[in-house]
């Protein structure tokens, strides 16, 4: 039998993966989502992968659906599940804490189910193993909740296609500014929330908050700010800090491999 992680779930007519006969949007029309309220720079109630996805969105409001964003969203989902204690580290393997635990978030629970149903994998392997699955679920959730606008068009006048765009570029700009602020300081890492620390660590690993590529930025981090933020992301728990560190490393290595052909290395 094939490993479930190698299978992409069937898509509903609106494009959202189906599990158990229901879409991640809970049956809501993508066009029915209302604009969100609250802080325009960081809407409340967003999961870590949702914040990372919006942060990574194009500055002009257009979608950025390349593989790097897919990996970033998957990394955020893995990190939040680990922070919540729903995924634990078992000798380097991402392992569900039990068979029944749920997060209450459809995207996080979708990944949790996928991990349960799949062959054992290391954390870094999960970052790069079919991450588009998690990205598509999250994109449809964000559209249903009103964070994204959905447009319909036809390619060559024949083939139907769907476009997604931010309702407010302010959200992406605010999240990027927050991540840069956390990475650069001056606030001590101990005063930064675990969610913000994880946001900055992963966004930095994806190259969204620094001018230099993440692997080169690491060499310039003489003060160890990233290490402090990793410790904060893991609430000082060695096992969780190790998980965050491995997930971050997977993002950096994948980005370096993607750059290599263009760099001639």
């Amino acid at each position: 039998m094939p490993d479930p992680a190698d299978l992409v779930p069937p898509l509903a007519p609106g494009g959202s993966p189906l599990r158990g006969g229901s879409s991640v949007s809970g049956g809501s029309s993508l066009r029915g989502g209302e604009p969100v309220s609250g802080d325009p720079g960081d809407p409340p109630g967003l999961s870590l992968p949702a914040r990372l996805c919006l942060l990574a969105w194009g500055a002009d409001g257009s979608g950025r659906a390349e593989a790097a964003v897919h990996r970033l969203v998957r990394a955020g989902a893995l990190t939040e599940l680990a922070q919540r204690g729903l995924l634990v580290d078992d000798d380097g393997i991402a392992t569900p804490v039990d068979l029944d635990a749920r997060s209450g978030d459809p995207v996080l629970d979708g990944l949790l189910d996928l991990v349960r149903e799949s062959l054992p994998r290391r954390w870094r392997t999960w970052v790069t193993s079919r991450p588009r699955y998690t990205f598509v679920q999250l994109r449809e959730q964000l559209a249903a909740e009103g964070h994204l606008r959905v447009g319909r068009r036809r390619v060559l006048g024949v083939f139907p296609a769907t476009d997604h765009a931010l309702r407010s570029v302010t959200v992406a700009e605010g999240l990027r500014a927050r991540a840069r602020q956390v990475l650069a300081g001056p606030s001590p890492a101990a005063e930064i929330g675990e969610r913000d620390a994880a946001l900055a660590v992963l966004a930095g690993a994806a190259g969204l908050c620094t001018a230099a590529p993440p692997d080169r930025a690491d060499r310039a981090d003489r003060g160890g700010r990233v290490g402090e933020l990793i410790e904060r992301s893991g609430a000082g728990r060695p096992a969780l800090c190790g998980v965050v560190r491995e997930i971050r490393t997977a993002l950096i290595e994948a980005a370096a491999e993607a750059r290599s052909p263009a760099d001639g290395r």
Side-chain angles (χ1 to χ4, degrees), residues 15 53 62 117 133 162 177 209 215 238:
C53 185
S62 62
E117 297 165 4
Y133 164 71
T162 302
C209 302
D215 50 343

Side-chain angles (χ1 to χ4, degrees), residues 1-10 19 114 118 121 129-130 133:
M1 291 182 62
D3 184 353
D6 295 328
L7 302 176
V8 177
R19 272 194 174 276
L114 186 63
S118 302
R121 283 177 165 84
S129 178
R130 306 274 178 163
Y133 164 71

Side-chain angles (χ1 to χ4, degrees), residues 74 85 100 128 159 164 185 196 206 216 241:
R74 173 62 67 77
D100 301 315
T128 57
F159 305 103
H164 295 78
D196 280 346
R216 298 171 191 169
C241 293

Side-chain angles (χ1 to χ4, degrees), residues 39-257:
D39 179 1
D42 190 358
L46 289 176
S47 66
L48 177 59
R51 296 175 83 206
L52 287 166
C53 185
L54 293 174
L55 180 153
W57 219 266
D60 60 354
S62 62
R64 296 181 59 183
E66 64 264 27
V69 179
H70 300 172
R71 294 192 295 267
L72 179 61
V73 166
R74 173 62 67 77
L78 289 167
T79 300
E80 179 154 347
L81 286 170
Q83 287 179 323
R84 293 191 185 199
L86 296 172
L87 279 181
V88 297
D89 184 75
D90 183 4
D91 197 21
I93 302 298
T95 307
V97 67
D98 60 46
L99 296 177
D100 301 315
R102 313 294 288 175
S103 71
D105 181 286
V107 175
L108 296 176
D109 287 339
L111 178 55
L112 197 56
D113 287 339
L114 186 63
V115 174
R116 286 191 183 106
E117 297 165 4
S118 302
L119 297 173
R121 283 177 165 84
R122 301 188 70 84
W123 296 92
R124 66 176 57 206
T125 303
W126 275 116
V127 171
T128 57
S129 178
R130 306 274 178 163
R132 186 176 183 276
Y133 164 71
T134 302
F135 172 81
V136 170
Q137 281 192 307
L138 179 60
R139 185 184 63 192
E140 304 311 315
Q141 182 188 64
L142 290 172
E145 292 176 352
H147 296 284
L148 302 178
R149 292 192 305 270
V150 181
R152 312 290 183 187
R153 60 185 173 88
R154 288 189 177 274
V155 179
L156 302 177
V158 177
F159 305 103
T162 302
D163 294 317
H164 295 78
L166 286 175
R167 283 191 181 274
S168 173
V169 179
T170 303
V171 173
E173 292 175 344
L175 287 167
R176 279 194 294 272
R178 178 58 181 158
R180 283 194 296 267
Q181 182 185 49
V182 169
L183 278 173
S187 297
E191 296 179 4
I192 296 169
E194 295 171 24
R195 280 168 42 87
D196 280 346
L199 177 81
V201 165
L202 297 180
L208 296 172
C209 302
T210 57
D215 50 343
R216 298 171 191 169
D218 260 8
R219 293 194 288 272
D221 183 31
R222 304 182 191 281
R225 177 69 170 181
V226 171
E228 293 175 354
L229 292 173
I230 290 173
E231 291 293 317
R232 187 69 186 115
S233 301
R237 289 175 283 171
L240 182 52
C241 293
V243 166
V244 175
R245 189 172 290 108
E246 181 170 350
I247 290 172
R248 176 179 179 272
T249 299
L251 284 175
I252 293 174
E253 291 179 348
E257 289 176 7

